[in-house]
Structures are given as structure tokens and as C-alpha cells.
Amino acid sequence: MKNKDIYETNSERTIINFPLYLLMTIFLVASSQILAQNGSLDPSFGNGGIVTATCNGVVADLCTPTDLVLQPDGKTVVLVSAPNVPANTGRDFYVFRFLWNGTFDPGFGNGGIARIFFTPQADSENPFKLAVQADGKIVVVGSAALSNKSNSPNGFAVARLNSNGTLDSSFGSGGKLLFNFSSRATAAAKSLAIQADGKILVGGNSDANFAVVRLLPTNGAFDSTFNGTGVSIIQIPINRGQSVGNPGANGLAIQPDGKIILAGQRPAVTGTGGDFAVFRLHAGGSPDASFGSNGQVTTNFFGSNDSANAAEIDFSNMPNFKIVVGGEVRTSDPDTRFGIVRYNQNGSLDTSFNGGKITVGPSGFDSRLYSMKVDSFGRIYASGSVKNFTTLIADLSLARILPTGVLDPSFGIQGFVFTDIQGEDRNWGGLAFTPDGRVVVAGDTNSRRVVVVARYFP
């Protein structure tokens, strides 16, 4: 295993006079903190900073995490896509919960794992995002077939678990909701945020259009104070022959004033492929005309295929907060890189961020950003699929970008930390900060597709 962290502890104490002992203790603590910086693995988590887990004994090559959050008590919650058990076909939602030390939480679900399915047959139910409410309940969203018919379209699939991993019967129908927005339209819930008042925002797509709903925290009903119906659909114009592979609101963030940021992919304004599309809605669900052009900003990188996958608010310089959007951009085939844009509050590019938009990743390889967070210093942490600069094999990868828009040279190798688990390892599944600032990411191994969770010092 690469990237073994250097972390020493003082296992024996010598009885010496108090002032000298105090000075030695301060020195040792300070030294250990220095050694634990810059992306080293946290040895108090799992096996040397890494946890690997299978899905209830599910067959190999079929277990992939899609998101990760940290509870206030330090427990790690991971959303996982895995086969329908016991059939081992199709896919269902799974939620894993780990204790602070990386062991499964025995007080959650069945030995630390909860399974959610929307239809009994072995179909493809795809989880995307999860969030933890203030009361400890867990909301998960994704897509599932609307009926048992073979040609049934998919719809928004939303479920809520109690803090012990059981379905919350007060939410929807038996803890679950399944819906779309128009007859025969295929929909998928891809993004999620909990408002300060507890209301639940769920974003995604309805065919090629952006869709967002707001649900009441009491029972999951549509909030009629949001755009009159609880639903806001943003029509995306598509010209003949145009298409996008990842439509809709893949990222969702809430500004301090309650306005809503939606980020995803739309057909390119000129040419083929896709562009970053960012929309801002008022808290009531209507477009905010003060943002970009009639509430929309479109950002193109190299005239090829760009897709935004994450949206965050940078609160590090309040009240001058910034809007950060990340995803994947194609420079040429097969060269795909992380693309990150930082916007001012009116939707213009923040030129203090290295011109406003940057690409990150090795030249000539397929690198895709899936998860992103901004810390209290304005540094951007991004994870996804990246090939190690040295081995040219994909490893669990984490990048840190400074507020100026350049990779942080003090972090790992040229701003990246690579952790080799086994064969091809990828960060599909989320990024989060612990209360004390450690960074947790989730992914899988390509050889066995077991779930991998790693925790790093910042």
C-alpha cells in the first residue's frame, strides 16, 4: 500500500522534572501535528487510515459508493449502490455507517448496513446523494423505476431512515417517495440539501431539463410555498442533434440568503457536447434575474464536453461569499480533467481565482471530479478519478487547490494525494470534513469493487 503515513507516538514516558516534561510534551504534540499534515492518512481510522467493506457478502465487482457525509458525532455515513440481495442482479440503495475508528456501527441497520429498495424486482435502482438532518435522520435520493412494467420510466426516488437505520414510516409511504414530473418523462434525483428550517431540497433532471423539488420535513409532502407546487422545472433548449450525457442539477447549494444554486450540464450553446450550466433560484423557487442572464450562467472550457457535478458556497470571506462549481472538462480525447469555476455573487467569473476557471489533472488521461468541498480557509478539496502521476494507474485521489486557484504544492505530490489500495481505485463516492477538519473520502477498488473509505489529516 502506497502513501503510508509517518506518524509517531511516544509510547513510554520518563519521569523527569515537570518543566522539562511539559516542554517535551509540547514539542512531541507539535511534532506529531506537523508530521500529520499535508494529506497523510489518519492511523486512528480503520487499518492505517483506510476501511474496506463489502456489501452483505455481495459478489465481487458490483459494490460502489456514491456519496458520503459525516454526522456531528463523527460517524461516517456512506451511500452505496449494490446488487439486489439475494438475487445479485439489478441494484438497490445501501447505507453504511462507521464509527469514529472505522468499524461498522452495530446500532445501525443490520450490523452497520441498511438496505432500501423501491420495487421488489431486480431492477436498476441508483442512489446518488444523502444528507443527515439535525435530528439525526438520514435522507437518501436517486432514481428507480416508477412501476413493475419493463418499459417504465425512472423517477425521483427519495427515502428517509431513522437514526438507527430503519425506514421512517412518517415520511412518504412507509419511508419512501417515488415520482416524476410529466407522463413518460424519465427523471433522476442527483443532488440534495437540507435548509436551515429543515425543509428538503432535491435536485435532478426531468429528461434534459433541470428539476428541483422542496419537501416538508414532517412527512415528505411537496412544499406548496415553493413555486406554488413544490416543484420548479427549468426548461433547457435543445437543438436538433444535440444531447448531453449527464443532464440536470448534479450539484445543489444554498446561499446564506436562502437562494438556491443548481449546477449541471446543458447542451453547448455553440457547437456540440455540453457546457457547465449554473442556475440560481430565489428561496421561493422562481429564477433570480440578478444572476447571470435571467438567472443562468453557462461556462465553456475548451469547446468540447463539460459537465458540472458539484456546487459549493465558499464562506471563507463573508459577506463576500463565492460560488464554486466543479466537474469534468474534455480538452481532447482521451484527455479529461477536473474543471473548477469560482463565480462572484452576480454570476460573473471571479478573476482572482486564477482567471475564474481552472483545469486540474495530468495531461493525456481521463480525470473526472465527482466530489468537492471548500474549507474555512477557502481551500478547495476535490476528489474523483485520477491516474497517479508516477504509476499511471488510478488511485484513490484527493487534490487541494488554494484560494488563488492553483494546486497547493505543500499537499501531497504537486497538490494531489494518491492512495493505492488494489489495482484501479477510484473516488466515486463523496468527500466530507470531520468536526476537527480531517478529510474523509469514499471510493472503490476496480479489482473487487469493495467499498473504500479513507481519512486524511488536512
Side-chain angles (χ1 to χ4, degrees):
M1 184 179 294
K2 302 185 186 82
N3 273 5
K4 290 280 189 180
D5 50 305
I6 304 169
Y7 189 84
E8 299 176 355
T9 58
N10 189 29
S11 58
E12 297 182 0
R13 293 181 179 176
T14 305
I15 300 174
I16 54 179
N17 66 76
F18 176 75
L20 180 58
Y21 169 70
L22 181 61
L23 290 173
M24 288 181 65
T25 301
I26 293 171
F27 173 77
L28 288 169
V29 170
S31 298
S32 67
Q33 288 297 315
I34 292 171
L35 289 168
Q37 296 303 303
N38 301 331
S40 61
L41 286 162
D42 175 5
S44 67
F45 184 75
N47 181 12
I50 296 169
V51 168
T52 59
T54 58
C55 307
N56 280 345
V58 162
V59 295
D61 199 37
L62 290 170
C63 191
T64 304
T66 62
D67 197 16
L68 174 150
V69 297
L70 269 293
Q71 294 186 176
D73 60 4
K75 293 178 180 178
T76 302
V77 186
V78 184
L79 183 61
V80 176
S81 173
N84 179 304
V85 176
N88 280 343
T89 56
R91 308 198 67 79
D92 286 335
F93 292 30
Y94 287 80
V95 181
F96 291 12
R97 192 165 74 188
F98 301 98
L99 301 174
W100 175 258
N101 64 3
T103 59
F104 272 115
D105 181 359
F108 182 80
N110 181 11
I113 300 176
R115 174 193 172 206
I116 305 167
F117 59 93
F118 290 83
T119 56
Q121 72 268 28
D123 56 356
S124 292
E125 300 182 2
N126 299 300
F128 283 100
K129 294 293 179 182
L130 81 161
V132 177
Q133 297 183 171
D135 60 3
K137 293 182 178 181
I138 299 167
V139 181
V140 300
V141 303
S143 67
L146 293 166
S147 74
N148 294 332
K149 296 179 180 179
S150 60
N151 61 348
S152 172
N154 280 3
F156 272 40
V158 185
R160 189 165 72 185
L161 301 176
N162 295 308
S163 60
N164 64 0
T166 59
L167 283 166
D168 177 10
S169 59
S170 70
F171 184 84
S173 176
K176 296 177 282 190
L177 294 166
L178 186 57
F179 57 88
N180 67 348
F181 304 96
S182 62
S183 177
R184 307 305 303 167
T186 291
K190 300 178 178 179
S191 54
L192 173 66
I194 309 295
Q195 294 187 172
D197 60 5
K199 292 181 178 179
I200 302 164
L201 282 166
V202 184
N205 70 287
S206 176
D207 286 339
N209 299 315
F210 280 53
V212 59
V213 301
R214 191 161 71 192
L215 307 174
L216 297 176
T218 49
N219 57 7
F222 287 94
D223 177 12
S224 61
T225 66
F226 184 74
N227 204 35
T229 60
V231 177
S232 182
I233 303 292
I234 301 170
Q235 299 291 329
I236 303 297
I238 297 180
N239 298 324
R240 184 184 298 275
Q242 281 188 317
S243 65
V244 294
N246 193 22
N250 305 315
L252 191 159
I254 303 172
Q255 295 186 171
D257 57 6
K259 292 181 179 180
I260 301 159
I261 297 294
L262 304 172
Q265 185 184 42
R266 59 152 295 158
V269 176
T270 60
T272 60
D275 289 335
F276 276 28
V278 185
F279 295 90
R280 188 164 70 191
L281 305 179
H282 290 291
S286 60
D288 178 8
S290 68
F291 182 78
S293 176
N294 296 317
Q296 176 185 352
V297 170
T298 301
T299 302
N300 169 61
F301 282 81
F302 299 104
S304 188
N305 202 23
D306 310 326
S307 175
N309 295 328
E312 293 289 325
I313 305 299
D314 179 357
F315 296 100
S316 63
N317 187 28
M318 293 295 288
N320 297 317
F321 66 86
K322 305 291 184 178
I323 300 160
V324 184
V325 174
E328 60 196 65
V329 301
R330 185 172 296 278
T331 60
S332 62
D333 194 17
D335 194 343
T336 304
R337 305 184 193 181
F338 287 13
I340 301 174
V341 187
R342 196 167 72 191
Y343 301 98
N344 295 310
Q345 293 175 24
N346 64 359
S348 62
L349 290 175
D350 176 11
T351 56
S352 69
F353 184 71
N354 201 14
K357 59 182 181 180
I358 64 170
T359 60
V360 173
S363 176
F365 295 108
D366 187 5
S367 301
R368 299 169 185 266
L369 184 155
Y370 293 104
S371 301
M372 182 181 68
K373 294 291 180 185
V374 184
D375 70 9
S376 59
F377 301 102
R379 299 176 301 190
I380 300 168
Y381 287 82
S383 66
S385 172
V386 183
K387 289 185 183 291
N388 188 313
F389 301 151
T390 303
T391 66
L392 306 185
I393 296 173
D395 287 333
L396 217 61
S397 308
L398 178 65
R400 187 165 75 189
I401 297 97
L402 296 172
T404 54
V406 297
L407 282 164
D408 183 351
S410 71
F411 188 76
I413 303 170
Q414 302 174 42
F416 274 91
V417 168
F418 298 105
T419 304
D420 178 41
I421 312 298
Q422 184 180 29
E424 293 268 340
D425 313 312
R426 301 177 188 275
N427 280 100
W428 307 113
L431 187 160
F433 298 135
T434 66
D436 63 357
R438 299 177 213 194
V439 186
V440 187
V441 300
D444 66 18
T445 65
N446 195 44
S447 57
R448 291 185 296 148
R449 281 293 176 97
V450 298
V451 172
V452 176
V453 184
R455 190 166 74 199
Y456 302 88
F457 288 102

